[in-house]
Amino acid sequence: MEKSDKQHLTLPLLPLRDVVVFPYMVMPLFVGREESILALEAAMAQEKKLFLLGQKDAEVDVPGEEDVYTVGTVATILQLLKLPDGTVKLLVEGVSRARMDTFIQGEDYLSADISLMAEEGDDESPEMKLKIKTLLSQFEKLVELGKGIPKEVYTSIAAIPKACRLTDSIAAHIEMTLDVRQQLLELNQLSERVDFLTRLVAEALEMLDVEKRVQGRVRSQVEKSQRQYYLSEKIKAIQKEMGDLDDNGMPANELEELEEKIKASGMPKEAMDKSLSELKKLRMMSPMSAEATVCRNYIDTMLLVPWKKTSKVSHDLIKAMKILDADHYGLKEVKERIVEYLAVQKRVKQLKGPILCLVGPPGVGKTSLGESIARATGREFVRVSLGGVRDEAEIRGHRRTYIGAMPGKVIQKLSKVKVKNPLFMLDEVDKMAADFRGDPASALLEVLDPEQNNAFNDHYLEVDYDLSDVMFIATANSMNIPGPLLDRMEVIRLSG
């Protein structure tokens, strides 16, 4: 180590990655670069002094002058240990701030001509004592809030008489980014350094306060949910003791009631076997599992579907004509066609003829005619608008593998009306469209074909359902109806 005077030195240079060493700070370092290891050997051969300088970019393996900062720390090597993998572990203690005057690229290692930076400022002035008192007060609050700083550290720092050493000791224990640490290291003016450090401690306190509020809010929510869970479990335990719940947490008599409802519903054998199979699965499941919810929803849907309940159908043609006359003025030909259609059904005693399709412009009374026919025949009236329907699942339902699966519109409406022989109006049948999700018009073929609809298969139910007792009537504004569908219809035109 060459000396020109006490303030100007030439020392081996050790570039540091992601770390800044402050004066009076003892820190372990791991060194692996060959140039840095040679710089350590040079320092050990002299007075164990070296110059620690931060790198601007930690990714640079061979730093040049433009890759390092200009202000660093002169440090003393306290301990050096060579590890088996070739790296070196050393313990250093910061001595003083220093500014690099010349960056020296040696053959074996880096070195630098440096100037020691004397502390500027009077730490005995009343203003400085007040600032130090404020800083220590805030630092004490930071320690009390449990920021991972032992209370013994605060006690030892508070006992330091020199303000310059005190500020560097506090800086060593505060979390901050590398750039902020470098800024603090470069502040040689004591008053500026104390102000900068006070602001950092205040920001850390503010962040801790926010974090504490958030944690308190989260804790209260967790405690509330835990309390609710505890109370619900306690209620379940009491209900089990009283016999209100079974061992699986289900209401004690609920599954038996479901079984009784299934057997009393009038389902065909296939549907009953399927429902009892799902009920058996449900008995084996935890009531909190997702699969249990799927099974329960399926059973509830099967029980809602009308399997045997019907409304009494009237075949009085004179009464039917009176109701049609009372509800609609004129339309003589249309009413006669409707009464003829009803007469044929009365004669053959089954709905095996073509489907009525009322075609006419908007507002001529197609839907209200359907309601009148329902009233005339004593059937419940249900209506589905098919305008804009593009998905085949709207007719056939979704398979149960999908989340949120449900039956198609046909089964939904029958479940709502609670009888298996309503008058079912398919409104705006000419407005259906087809895309990649399927062709709903093709799905309607099975619904409207008297030879097939006695075994209509909804994807959700997975069993056949008899639609042969349903009286279907369709309406349309134009004849823009797919050919196969039109073949199953008897068209009655209503003029505007």
Side-chain angles (χ1 to χ4, degrees):
M1 178 176 65
E2 299 175 7
K3 296 185 180 180
S4 55
D5 57 53
K6 291 184 178 181
Q7 296 299 317
H8 299 281
L9 307 171
T10 300
L11 294 177
L13 171 62
L14 180 63
L16 300 180
R17 293 173 172 176
D18 298 326
V19 67
V20 172
V21 177
F22 289 102
Y24 314 107
M25 179 180 179
V26 177
M27 176 174 279
L29 298 173
F30 288 88
V31 179
R33 289 184 286 204
E34 187 178 350
E35 284 186 344
S36 299
I37 293 172
L38 292 172
L40 292 178
E41 292 174 355
M44 291 297 289
Q46 300 176 31
E47 297 182 4
K48 297 186 179 181
K49 290 277 196 302
L50 76 162
F51 185 44
L52 305 177
L53 204 56
Q55 275 187 219
K56 294 177 182 178
D57 185 359
E59 300 297 322
V60 178
D61 286 328
V62 184
E65 186 174 358
E66 68 282 356
D67 298 317
V68 293
Y69 294 102
T70 56
V71 175
T73 307
V74 175
T76 302
I77 300 173
L78 302 178
Q79 193 177 46
L80 188 144
L81 178 65
K82 292 185 178 180
L83 300 177
D85 61 354
T87 60
V88 174
K89 180 182 179 182
L90 69 153
L91 192 66
V92 296
E93 181 182 12
V95 176
S96 172
R97 287 173 171 78
R99 187 180 303 279
M100 180 176 67
D101 297 326
T102 309
F103 181 88
I104 303 172
Q105 182 78 52
E107 291 183 7
D108 298 328
Y109 60 88
L110 300 176
S111 57
D113 291 334
I114 61 170
S115 301
L116 298 180
M117 298 167 64
E119 297 287 347
E120 298 176 5
D122 182 9
D123 57 358
E124 294 298 325
S125 67
E127 182 185 357
M128 182 57 65
K129 287 182 179 179
L130 185 62
K131 286 184 176 183
I132 293 295
K133 185 178 179 181
T134 304
L135 176 59
L136 278 173
S137 173
Q138 289 189 334
F139 185 63
E140 185 180 14
K141 289 180 185 176
L142 197 65
V143 173
E144 288 173 354
L145 284 172
K147 193 58 179 173
I149 306 171
K151 290 186 178 180
E152 295 79 8
V153 170
Y154 168 76
T155 306
S156 62
I157 288 176
I160 297 173
K162 300 289 286 182
C164 57
R165 183 169 183 175
L166 183 142
T167 53
D168 288 332
S169 299
I170 290 176
H173 289 90
I174 296 176
E175 289 183 9
M176 60 185 96
T177 63
L178 188 66
D179 291 339
V180 174
R181 283 184 178 277
Q182 184 63 33
Q183 286 180 44
L184 193 58
L185 182 68
E186 292 176 3
L187 289 175
N188 199 38
Q189 178 66 39
L190 184 59
S191 178
E192 290 180 8
R193 196 190 313 157
V194 172
D195 292 342
F196 190 84
L197 199 54
T198 304
R199 188 169 71 252
L200 288 177
V201 175
E203 287 174 1
L205 283 172
E206 191 175 345
M207 288 298 295
L208 273 176
D209 187 45
V210 172
E211 189 178 328
K212 195 174 180 182
R213 286 203 303 271
V214 170
Q215 286 179 346
R217 198 177 300 124
V218 170
R219 194 182 301 114
S220 65
Q221 290 174 351
V222 170
E223 287 172 356
K224 184 180 178 182
S225 63
Q226 286 177 339
R227 186 167 62 250
Q228 289 174 342
Y229 176 76
Y230 171 75
L231 291 174
S232 66
E233 289 298 313
K234 199 167 185 178
I235 290 169
K236 284 182 184 178
I238 293 169
Q239 288 176 331
K240 282 182 184 178
E241 289 296 321
M242 294 177 67
D244 293 339
L245 294 180
D246 62 14
D247 293 335
N248 289 329
M250 298 284 286
N253 301 320
E254 187 176 12
L255 295 179
E256 285 73 16
E257 289 174 4
L258 281 175
E259 187 172 356
E260 289 174 10
K261 286 180 181 177
I262 290 170
K263 290 178 178 177
S265 64
M267 298 180 188
K269 187 176 185 308
E270 180 192 12
M272 186 170 291
D273 290 346
K274 179 71 175 174
S275 299
L276 291 174
S277 171
E278 292 294 325
L279 183 62
K280 187 178 178 182
K281 286 184 196 173
L282 186 61
R283 290 181 194 274
M284 307 298 291
M285 292 176 188
S286 164
M288 302 300 290
S289 69
E291 189 64 28
T293 306
V294 173
C295 283
R296 180 57 193 265
N297 288 343
Y298 177 79
I299 294 169
D300 289 342
T301 303
M302 292 290 277
L303 290 173
L304 283 173
V305 174
W307 296 98
K308 65 177 182 179
K309 186 180 177 183
T310 58
S311 52
K312 187 176 180 182
V313 178
S314 170
H315 294 291
D316 189 340
L317 300 179
I318 296 172
K319 178 186 173 185
M321 181 58 89
K322 285 181 180 178
I323 290 173
L324 289 171
D325 285 337
D327 290 349
H328 296 85
Y329 178 79
L331 302 175
K332 184 179 178 182
E333 293 181 5
V334 174
K335 292 174 186 174
E336 287 176 354
R337 288 280 298 279
I338 291 171
V339 171
E340 286 172 10
Y341 180 80
L342 297 177
V344 171
Q345 289 186 346
K346 178 183 178 182
R347 183 78 175 176
V348 298
K349 292 186 169 49
Q350 58 183 343
L351 300 172
K352 284 259 180 171
I355 308 300
L356 272 185
C357 181
L358 306 175
V359 178
V364 296
K366 299 185 294 296
T367 305
S368 58
L369 263 174
E371 292 175 358
S372 297
I373 296 169
R375 205 152 60 85
T377 56
R379 296 174 184 268
E380 297 290 336
F381 178 76
V382 60
R383 171 182 166 274
V384 170
S385 178
L386 298 176
V389 171
R390 294 170 176 270
D391 194 351
E392 177 225 5
E394 294 284 340
I395 308 298
R396 288 187 185 276
H398 304 83
R399 300 189 188 278
R400 281 197 293 153
T401 49
Y402 299 109
I403 295 173
M406 60 180 70
K409 294 286 187 187
V410 176
I411 299 297
Q412 282 184 47
K413 292 294 184 179
L414 290 175
S415 301
K416 187 176 180 181
V417 82
K418 294 183 173 58
V419 290
K420 63 177 294 189
N421 65 337
L423 187 144
F424 204 113
M425 175 163 279
L426 302 167
D427 218 355
E428 310 286 359
V429 77
D430 59 328
K431 303 293 192 307
M432 285 186 294
D435 64 4
F436 65 93
R437 287 170 289 191
D439 183 6
S442 300
L444 269 182
L445 293 175
E446 183 185 1
V447 174
L448 300 182
D449 192 337
E451 297 297 330
Q452 300 180 51
N453 65 6
N454 62 337
F456 172 67
N457 193 283
D458 187 277
H459 289 158
Y460 184 83
L461 299 185
E462 297 176 349
V463 293
D464 292 340
Y465 185 82
D466 186 4
L467 294 175
S468 61
D469 291 332
V470 179
M471 182 177 179
F472 288 100
I473 290 181
T475 72
N477 294 135
S478 68
M479 294 296 291
N480 185 27
I481 302 170
L485 202 57
L486 193 60
D487 290 343
R488 287 164 172 77
M489 296 178 178
E490 180 179 336
V491 176
I492 298 178
R493 290 184 176 276
L494 282 77
S495 57

